[in-house]
Amino acid sequence: MVAMDLFRSEEMTLVQLIIPAESAHDTVTYLAELGLLQFKDLNPERSPFQRTYANQVKRCGEMSRKIRYFQDQITKSGRTAAYRPLRDKDIGVDELEAKLTDLEAELLEINANTDKLQRTHSELTEFQLVLHKAGAFFSSVRNAANTVQQRADIENGSSIGEAIDRPLLQEQTEPSKQARLGFITGVIPKIKAASFERILFRATRGNMFLKQASIEDAVVDPATGEKIEKTVFVIFFSGERAKTKISKICDAFGANCYPFPEESSRQGHMKTEVDNRLLDLQHTLDAGINHRDNVLNSIGNNLDQWTVMVRREKAVYHTLNMLSIDVTRKCLVAEGWCPVSAKPKIQDALQRAAFVSNSQVNTIFQVLHTKESPPSYFETNKFTNAFQEIVEAYGVGRYQEANPGCFTIITFPFLFAVMFGDWGHGICLLLGALYLVLNEKKLGSKKLGDIMEMAYGGRYVILLMAIFSIYTGFIYNEFFSVPFGFFGGSAYRCPDSQYSIESCPMATTSGMEKWSYEPYAFGVDPIWHGSRSELPFTNSLKMKMSILLGIAQMNLGILLSYFNARYFRSALDVWYQFIPQLLFLNALFGYLSFLIVLKWCQGSKPDLYHVMIYMFLSPTEDLGENQLFMGQTFVQIVLLLVALVAVPWMLFPKPLILRKRHVQKMQGRAYGMLRESDTESTDLEIDGEHDEEEFEFGEVLVHQMIHTIEFVLGAVSNTASYLRLWALSLAHAQLSAVFYDRVLMFAWGYTNPIIRLIGLIVFASVTFGVLLLMETLSAFLHALRLHWVEFQNKFYLGDGYKFQPFSFRTLSEEDDL
């Protein structure tokens, strides 16, 4: 297919496909791989749940959920899914669905068992710590009690053996009043330990004894699975009532209580048993984790392939739901837009789909004729796509109207460069653009941030902006605000011959003297830099240049409106829109542009402000010293009359002619239908009244009045708006000069290398942050406004809709949801 240029969108046609039911899936799949057909929804009245393939879409959604679950599990395990290119017919959808179900069930079971084992492992770890800490406490207390008892028994004459045989928690009272103290052991989060102790004291009214021992390292909590700092506690109490209260308080604070034997022999036996169980449990956990890792590895090797496959399958069924089903349910009817040049490719794809699906009947392909407006389609490449996106951000063009995108490729970066002109800054911008362009394959395969993604998408726009900035920088003769005499000598010199041009003290006072009539070869003469007339000269130059560029671009926009009118065969728009607009704009501001160029050529000093103002206030007055050519007064009167005539020329004829055509059309239709029967005449009368309501002369007249007023006022405001080229250029140059003189040169005035280094760093930072970032963004936005408002409103309606074919290449992660 030969690609059309960007001036007009490609010719589109509405086609109808009658697809056999057995080949519908393969047909839509092949068309999606081709990506040149935009399907129309033929079931707009049906909800998604009422459509034919709703169950298939639901199945694909469920498979997408399982794939996202696998992706989450792989991410949590610290792995990345391996990429493997999609190979057709590797696995069927039904087989994939069964496989995903089995893998999900297996993974859920593995995770449940692992969680259960991990919880048991955490509980045993806490139990082990309780045995260690509480055992140490009981051992120390028992040793202390035995020592005290031995001393008492020796004093009372008792034997040492009898003292040792007495229980630790048995009160040494009379046998009738003998009782044992109970105790509870466990662990509690360290942050709750203080509150836990206060509540216990209040609940038991002080009839308890609490002993705590901090655990050095954080332990895994069995309930949450998170590592937290905990404390081992032992609570001594007396009575069942106190035990019940303490147990409830432990439950309320989330304390984990564990049994602890009093006897030393049982403690040792339990420690050994817990250690063995922990060892066996760790082996089981390791084996389970290895098995889980193997399952995740096998899933990760195929995850990208499955994701693409399910995503495509879901998109195919979504598209099939847009098709209408024949009453016999043996075929599906599809309608859609496609480029005329793509019809052979689409027919070839239909034949291949019928062959693959073994269908006995081929898909019927036919063109439909409709008055519906087709979508706009521009075949772009990686270079032109960004410029087309700039245009379509304002609005998608109407079908086959003139596209400003092909002109924007040059005018947008050029107007940016007019405001940004500095070849030093342009080189910095060029280096950044070259990095993006030369590494586009590498960067395109990565996931970039939002800002970097925008810069990468517009890399060729930035490249052209940088190139044009270098060009305008040479015209302005500015390199970080420093001029260079690359293109020959200056036409000026210092009046005092003992001084050079650079050191002339009169440059900022009386000025230089002109000694040569040969101008500087290219750009602004470097002698203007630093002179007392630098700002008046550059302001005048840039202001007049902005007006010339603005008038030229607005004339281009009006000229494009002529090509639109000619293409759509609208003679009314040519005679009553294009011609009066062209005359009005150029009778006033085109004449101003002519005076600017003439003044530059003659080298005279007339006041153009005075000329333009008195052209309206006193057109017959003698211009005197402001006259630039013979007969200027007469020419100005003629131009003023032309501008005045152009306003009603735009306003009245077009609505009146449209009304006349409508009346003639209705009369002709009525005379033709009067030959029919009376009944048909009655129907005609009703239809005629309905058609009359569709054409409202007042509405058309008001619309034309608004359009005329908008153009007349816009001619003034748009011309003034182009002065932003001068304002932004002046601001950029002055900021650059301030940073150079007040930062870099100020630091260079010192001999200390540290101060010079600091000054260089500050200069580089403000240059990058302010001039290369903020000023670039500012100039970009102003150039964008000049194209959207001042240029495109002359011819570009932008009320169309974009061609969005069904294509696998445009599917994204959002389609999985």
Side-chain angles (χ1 to χ4, degrees):
M1 181 180 68
V2 179
M4 291 182 64
D5 55 15
L6 282 176
F7 188 62
R8 297 198 187 278
S9 60
E10 291 208 30
E11 186 179 356
M12 308 293 289
T13 184
L14 182 64
V15 298
Q16 184 183 63
L17 309 178
I18 301 177
I19 312 170
E22 64 272 12
S23 65
H25 183 277
D26 290 329
T27 299
V28 174
T29 301
Y30 275 92
L31 290 175
E33 291 175 352
L34 184 62
L36 289 173
L37 182 65
Q38 176 178 327
F39 289 91
K40 292 178 63 178
D41 190 359
L42 302 181
N43 306 302
E45 72 283 352
R46 292 188 179 183
S47 67
F49 304 102
Q50 296 174 331
R51 305 206 176 196
T52 307
Y53 296 93
N55 291 331
Q56 286 82 349
V57 173
K58 187 177 179 181
R59 284 176 57 197
C60 294
E62 183 65 17
M63 287 191 284
S64 297
R65 182 197 62 78
K66 293 173 183 176
I67 290 175
R68 290 196 299 272
Y69 171 71
F70 296 151
Q71 184 65 58
D72 292 340
Q73 293 298 312
I74 291 174
T75 303
K76 288 180 180 178
S77 66
R79 291 173 172 78
T80 55
Y83 175 76
R84 193 176 76 174
L86 179 63
R87 295 195 299 270
D88 294 335
K89 307 304 180 183
D90 273 357
I91 186 173
V93 177
D94 296 334
E95 184 181 353
L96 176 62
E97 183 181 18
K99 188 170 186 178
L100 291 178
T101 302
D102 294 341
L103 286 173
E104 183 188 30
E106 182 180 4
L107 202 55
L108 287 172
E109 184 180 1
I110 292 174
N111 288 338
N113 292 335
T114 302
D115 292 341
K116 187 176 180 180
L117 291 173
Q118 190 65 50
R119 181 184 178 89
T120 304
H121 185 274
S122 300
E123 290 175 350
L124 287 175
T125 302
E126 288 187 348
F127 191 17
Q128 186 183 46
L129 291 170
V130 168
L131 291 174
H132 174 71
K133 297 289 184 181
F137 168 69
F138 272 79
S139 177
S140 62
V141 170
R142 182 182 288 108
N143 292 335
N146 288 340
T147 302
V148 173
Q149 189 63 42
Q150 288 174 11
R151 291 176 182 174
D153 289 342
I154 291 173
E155 292 175 359
N156 296 329
S158 300
S159 65
I160 296 176
E162 293 177 353
I164 294 175
D165 291 338
R166 292 171 184 163
L168 173 67
L169 300 177
Q170 182 176 337
E171 296 182 6
Q172 303 301 319
T173 58
E174 297 178 8
S176 60
K177 297 181 180 180
Q178 207 171 54
R180 287 182 63 84
L181 293 175
F183 66 93
I184 294 177
T185 58
V187 292
I188 191 172
K190 196 172 184 179
I191 58 174
K192 297 181 180 180
S195 302
F196 181 63
E197 184 175 4
R198 286 196 300 269
I199 296 298
L200 284 174
F201 185 83
R202 292 173 183 173
T204 59
R205 298 182 180 180
N207 295 320
M208 65 90 193
F209 175 73
L210 175 66
K211 182 67 177 178
Q212 300 183 51
S214 297
I215 301 174
E216 292 77 9
D217 299 326
V219 295
V220 178
D221 186 69
T224 63
E226 298 178 355
K227 281 192 172 186
I228 56 176
E229 294 183 348
K230 289 195 173 185
T231 298
V232 176
F233 64 84
V234 181
I235 307 171
F236 294 93
F237 58 87
S238 178
E240 288 297 323
R241 189 174 180 181
K243 180 179 180 181
T244 303
K245 287 183 179 181
I246 293 172
S247 298
K248 290 181 178 179
I249 293 171
C250 290
D251 293 338
F253 275 84
N256 299 325
C257 298
Y258 297 96
F260 184 81
E262 181 182 348
E263 293 80 3
S264 301
S265 59
R266 289 187 59 193
Q267 290 176 17
H269 177 71
M270 190 168 288
K271 284 182 180 180
T272 303
E273 183 180 353
V274 169
D275 291 341
N276 292 334
R277 287 185 62 189
L278 273 175
L279 187 61
D280 295 340
L281 195 60
Q282 187 62 50
H283 289 318
T284 306
L285 269 175
D286 293 340
I289 291 174
N290 288 333
H291 178 56
R292 181 170 177 262
D293 290 343
N294 293 332
V295 173
L296 290 178
N297 285 334
S298 64
I299 292 174
N301 292 332
N302 300 280
L303 193 61
D304 284 340
Q305 178 189 2
W306 295 344
T307 302
V308 172
M309 187 175 180
V310 173
R311 185 182 298 166
R312 291 185 173 188
E313 198 71 17
K314 187 176 181 181
V316 167
Y317 283 118
H318 267 304
T319 303
L320 286 172
N321 277 333
M322 299 169 67
L323 278 56
S324 63
I325 306 295
D326 185 73
V327 290
T328 61
R329 305 189 69 84
K330 292 183 179 179
C331 63
L332 288 81
V333 179
E335 292 182 7
W337 295 101
C338 72
V340 173
S341 56
K343 288 194 293 184
K345 288 188 175 182
I346 294 176
Q347 291 173 334
D348 179 64
L350 296 177
Q351 292 177 359
R352 286 188 285 117
F355 176 78
V356 170
S357 59
N358 296 321
S359 176
Q360 297 179 355
V361 181
N362 289 335
T363 300
I364 299 175
F365 178 88
Q366 57 187 2
V367 177
L368 299 180
H369 299 284
T370 179
K371 293 183 179 180
E372 184 181 351
S373 178
S376 299
Y377 172 52
F378 299 95
E379 188 173 355
T380 58
N381 52 38
K382 62 183 180 181
F383 177 78
T384 58
N385 181 67
F387 296 98
Q388 189 62 37
E389 290 293 333
I390 289 175
V391 173
E392 292 182 352
Y394 174 82
V396 179
R398 181 178 290 186
Y399 176 62
Q400 288 203 325
E401 72 171 334
N403 177 32
C406 53
F407 301 97
T408 303
I409 296 175
I410 298 299
T411 58
F412 184 85
F414 179 73
L415 292 185
F416 168 87
V418 171
M419 295 179 276
F420 192 76
D422 186 302
W423 61 278
H425 298 152
I427 289 175
C428 297
L429 206 60
L430 180 63
L431 293 176
L434 287 176
Y435 170 78
L436 296 175
V437 170
L438 296 177
N439 297 279
E440 61 182 14
K441 291 184 178 180
K442 179 181 177 182
L443 296 174
S445 61
K446 293 182 178 179
K447 191 172 183 179
L448 307 175
D450 292 338
I451 296 178
M452 193 63 182
E453 186 72 33
M454 287 190 293
Y456 174 76
R459 58 194 181 279
Y460 289 102
V461 179
I462 300 174
L463 179 65
L464 286 187
M465 292 193 307
I467 293 173
F468 278 106
S469 295
I470 295 173
Y471 170 73
T472 54
F474 278 117
I475 291 179
Y476 296 156
N477 204 345
E478 290 188 0
F479 177 83
F480 296 101
S481 79
V482 179
F484 286 89
F486 290 142
F487 302 101
S490 173
Y492 297 84
R493 65 183 179 185
C494 185
D496 192 344
S497 58
Q498 64 178 345
Y499 294 102
S500 64
I501 292 178
E502 293 77 9
S503 61
C504 183
M506 286 159 280
T508 57
T509 55
S510 61
M512 299 287 190
E513 66 175 5
K514 188 171 183 178
W515 67 278
S516 174
Y517 289 97
E518 292 185 5
Y520 190 67
F522 184 82
V524 175
D525 195 323
I527 196 65
W528 291 103
H529 181 75
S531 65
R532 66 184 181 91
S533 55
E534 178 188 8
L535 276 181
F537 172 76
T538 54
N539 279 346
S540 176
L541 172 67
K542 293 179 179 179
M543 180 176 62
K544 293 172 181 175
M545 184 179 63
S546 301
I547 293 174
L548 293 176
L549 292 175
I551 299 301
Q553 190 174 31
M554 287 192 288
N555 272 296
L556 175 61
I558 295 175
L559 184 62
L560 291 176
S561 71
Y562 164 74
F563 287 111
N564 275 340
R566 183 179 176 183
Y567 183 83
F568 294 113
R569 298 179 181 178
S570 176
L572 280 179
D573 289 335
V574 174
W575 290 102
Y576 305 109
Q577 183 170 311
F578 163 70
I579 292 178
Q581 286 183 358
L582 191 67
L583 292 176
F584 181 85
L585 180 66
N586 289 286
L588 301 179
F589 301 104
Y591 174 63
L592 174 60
S593 302
F594 169 74
L595 293 180
I596 291 173
V597 175
L598 186 61
K599 180 181 176 181
W600 282 346
C601 294
Q602 292 180 352
S604 55
K605 299 181 181 179
D607 187 358
L608 297 185
Y609 296 107
H610 181 277
V611 173
M612 294 304 297
I613 290 173
Y614 281 92
M615 179 179 174
F616 295 94
L617 297 181
S618 182
T620 60
E621 182 180 343
D622 185 25
L623 295 175
E625 61 180 9
N626 291 318
Q627 183 169 332
L628 283 163
F629 58 91
M630 294 295 295
Q632 184 175 352
T633 303
F634 174 74
V635 171
Q636 291 183 174
I637 294 174
V638 172
L639 292 176
L640 190 59
L641 291 175
V642 169
L644 293 176
V645 170
V647 176
W649 191 352
M650 281 186 282
L651 177 58
F652 295 112
K654 186 176 178 180
L656 292 174
I657 293 174
L658 288 175
R659 182 178 182 277
K660 181 180 178 181
R661 287 181 179 178
H662 177 71
V663 172
Q664 291 175 349
K665 179 181 177 181
M666 297 307 299
Q667 289 177 349
R669 184 181 301 177
Y671 289 142
M673 297 297 291
L674 281 176
R675 299 192 184 101
E676 304 292 336
S677 63
D678 294 337
T679 304
E680 292 174 346
S681 299
T682 305
D683 296 336
L684 170 66
E685 186 178 350
I686 297 173
D687 294 338
E689 291 175 358
H690 177 71
D691 290 339
E692 283 290 344
E693 293 177 357
E694 293 181 356
F695 181 84
E696 290 288 343
F697 175 72
E699 183 178 344
V700 173
L701 181 62
V702 170
H703 180 271
Q704 189 66 22
M705 185 183 300
I706 293 173
H707 181 76
T708 302
I709 295 173
E710 182 183 5
F711 178 81
V712 172
L713 298 180
V716 180
S717 63
N718 293 164
T719 304
S721 182
Y722 276 95
L723 293 177
R724 70 184 68 237
L725 298 174
W726 157 51
L728 268 292
S729 176
L730 175 65
H732 186 87
Q734 293 303 306
L735 279 174
S736 181
V738 167
F739 293 153
Y740 178 78
D741 293 334
R742 303 301 179 185
V743 177
L744 186 61
M745 288 296 99
F746 177 78
W748 233 250
Y750 294 88
T751 57
N752 192 328
I754 297 178
I755 297 179
R756 289 188 173 186
L757 179 61
I758 294 174
L760 184 61
I761 293 174
V762 173
F763 175 74
S765 300
V766 296
T767 298
F768 177 78
V770 177
L771 297 177
L772 294 180
L773 291 183
M774 295 176 61
E775 281 288 306
T776 300
L777 179 60
S778 175
F780 181 91
L781 294 177
H782 282 285
L784 198 64
R785 182 243 154 76
L786 289 176
H787 280 77
W788 282 357
V789 179
E790 280 70 30
F791 175 51
Q792 292 180 188
N793 72 348
K794 302 293 185 297
F795 67 99
Y796 189 66
L797 296 175
D799 57 355
Y801 62 102
K802 195 172 184 178
F803 178 59
Q804 295 177 326
F806 175 50
S807 174
F808 287 149
R809 292 185 295 272
T810 58
L811 297 180
S812 61
E813 294 181 2
E814 296 178 359
D815 297 297
D816 297 338
L817 302 178

